[in-house]
Amino acid sequence: MLKSLRIKNLATIEEVELGLESGFSVLTGETGAGKSILIESIRLALGDKGSTDVIRTGTSETSIEAVFEGTDPPGSEEDNQTFVQRRITEKGSGRGYLDGTLVPLKNLRAAGDSLVDIYGQNDHVFLRVAENQMDYLDRYAGALALRGKVAHAAIEVRRLFRRKQELLASAQDRKQRLDFLDYQIQEIEKAELGTGEEEVLRSDRLILKNSEKISHWVDEALTLSYSGDASLASLVSRLQPLLEQLAEFDPESKPALESVSQFSITIRELGEHLIQFRENQSRSPERLEQTETRLSQ
């Protein structure tokens, strides 16, 4: 039971201390006498939200102290008696104390559930807690044990439902993956890719992108090696008969003659290769585009 209540600087109250005896007590008075302020002070003392509006005009702090006797809430240190204090300052900060120890407001609210029941218009503190409502109903129906079984079954059903959703999602992901792989397989088969084709295409692309420079180099190489009046092939063709005649008088010249003859063959083969290479090259932009498209595929 509430043994004593001390209020300081709350709303219109400057300071009041109320002592209560055992049994039934009644506070009466006309409207505006302050009865609701007393109830509000008990609420604040037991952890209800408070604002600076409750502080009495001209003061900087409100304080409520309450002593309860005959019950020991969690956190109480004194046997059969509990001391609760709440302070709210003009800065908006508030502090709560339980048996002289600073505690969070949620601790005051937890203690208040076992210390006080307030009845009024939609104002019964205990019955406002949903868990308490369930306890009353299930206890009345004799279903507390069944409630535990149902709760366990509900947890299991939710677990199975989540597992079902995971399996359905996994199956859907698998189907999408298989469809994508099937599409890729069809695209690969449709492309009719050849072994080594990519390397050939890359080589062709490099040549096509540099066709002008390559054409110039081929022409220069042909002029110097094969087709020019002063080309290597022309010079070698003039040198070879001279060495043949000299070899009749100088046997040691024969190895040199053989080397020149082999070189003449090499020059001729080089010229033929360059001519063929030039004929095979196309400067067509369409061919470069076709090569790029195939490489992309």
Side-chain angles (χ1 to χ4, degrees):
M1 61 167 285
L2 179 62
K3 185 69 175 176
S4 67
L5 180 66
R6 184 183 180 189
I7 305 169
K8 186 176 181 180
N9 296 329
L10 176 64
T12 59
I13 296 178
E14 180 177 1
E15 185 171 2
V16 64
E17 185 170 355
L18 179 66
L20 300 172
E21 301 297 333
S22 299
F24 184 66
S25 300
V26 177
L27 299 177
T28 64
E30 62 186 25
T31 301
K35 301 185 298 297
S36 60
I37 298 177
L38 295 178
I39 299 299
E40 181 64 19
S41 70
I42 296 175
R43 292 178 186 277
L44 292 172
L46 296 177
D48 263 19
K49 291 183 179 179
S51 67
T52 56
D53 295 338
V54 302
I55 301 175
R56 186 169 183 268
T57 303
T59 63
S60 61
E61 178 182 285
T62 187
S63 173
I64 304 110
E65 300 174 3
V67 177
F68 296 90
E69 193 173 75
T71 183
D72 293 314
S76 177
E77 296 179 356
E78 296 185 22
D79 294 337
N80 205 37
Q81 194 173 79
T82 302
F83 172 72
V84 177
Q85 182 184 20
R86 177 78 181 278
R87 298 169 62 189
I88 300 174
T89 69
E90 62 182 357
K91 295 181 179 180
S93 61
R95 294 183 178 183
Y97 298 85
L98 185 60
D99 288 328
T101 301
L102 180 65
V103 296
L105 294 184
K106 64 179 181 180
N107 289 31
L108 289 184
R109 287 192 289 271
D113 290 342
S114 61
L115 292 173
V116 170
D117 275 343
I118 298 178
Y119 297 84
Q121 295 179 342
N122 303 317
D123 206 17
H124 182 209
V125 173
F126 186 78
L127 287 180
R128 286 167 58 190
V129 181
E131 290 80 0
N132 295 335
Q133 299 168 7
M134 290 176 59
D135 286 343
Y136 268 121
L137 181 61
D138 290 339
R139 188 177 293 111
Y140 178 78
L144 286 175
L146 179 60
R147 184 175 76 179
K149 295 179 180 179
V150 172
H152 177 75
I155 293 172
E156 183 65 11
V157 167
R158 285 194 292 269
R159 185 189 70 80
L160 292 173
F161 180 77
R162 287 194 299 270
R163 180 57 179 159
K164 177 185 176 183
Q165 295 301 110
E166 291 170 358
L167 291 173
L168 289 175
S170 177
Q172 182 63 24
D173 290 343
R174 181 176 182 274
K175 182 179 182 301
Q176 292 177 354
R177 177 64 175 163
L178 288 174
D179 290 343
F180 179 66
L181 290 174
D182 185 59
Y183 165 77
Q184 287 187 316
I185 291 171
Q186 293 179 25
E187 289 294 302
I188 291 172
E189 291 175 345
K190 189 188 303 182
E192 297 181 346
L193 306 176
T195 303
E197 181 183 4
E198 184 176 1
E199 289 74 13
V200 173
L201 288 169
R202 292 188 182 278
S203 177
D204 289 347
R205 180 176 64 179
L206 182 63
I207 292 173
L208 290 168
K209 282 187 173 182
N210 297 277
S211 59
E212 291 187 5
K213 291 188 291 185
I214 292 174
S215 178
H216 172 72
W217 294 337
V218 169
D219 290 342
E220 286 288 315
L222 275 172
T223 299
L224 292 173
S225 64
Y226 192 73
S227 61
D229 293 337
S231 65
L232 292 175
S234 176
L235 295 174
V236 169
S237 64
R238 292 164 55 189
L239 175 62
Q240 192 170 359
L242 295 175
L243 291 177
E244 290 174 351
Q245 295 177 10
L246 180 60
E248 295 179 2
F249 302 97
D250 181 15
E252 294 182 2
S253 299
K254 289 183 179 182
L257 176 61
E258 293 176 358
S259 297
V260 170
S261 298
Q262 184 60 45
F263 183 64
S264 176
I265 295 171
T266 302
I267 289 297
R268 185 171 64 253
E269 291 175 347
L270 172 62
E272 293 172 351
H273 168 74
L274 291 174
I275 293 171
Q276 186 64 41
F277 179 80
R278 183 173 60 185
E279 291 176 352
N280 290 338
Q281 302 314 305
S282 171
R283 300 184 186 181
S284 169
E286 291 79 7
R287 185 180 172 193
L288 176 59
E289 183 178 352
Q290 292 170 0
T291 302
E292 292 284 12
T293 301
R294 182 60 174 169
L295 268 173
S296 176
Q297 185 181 26

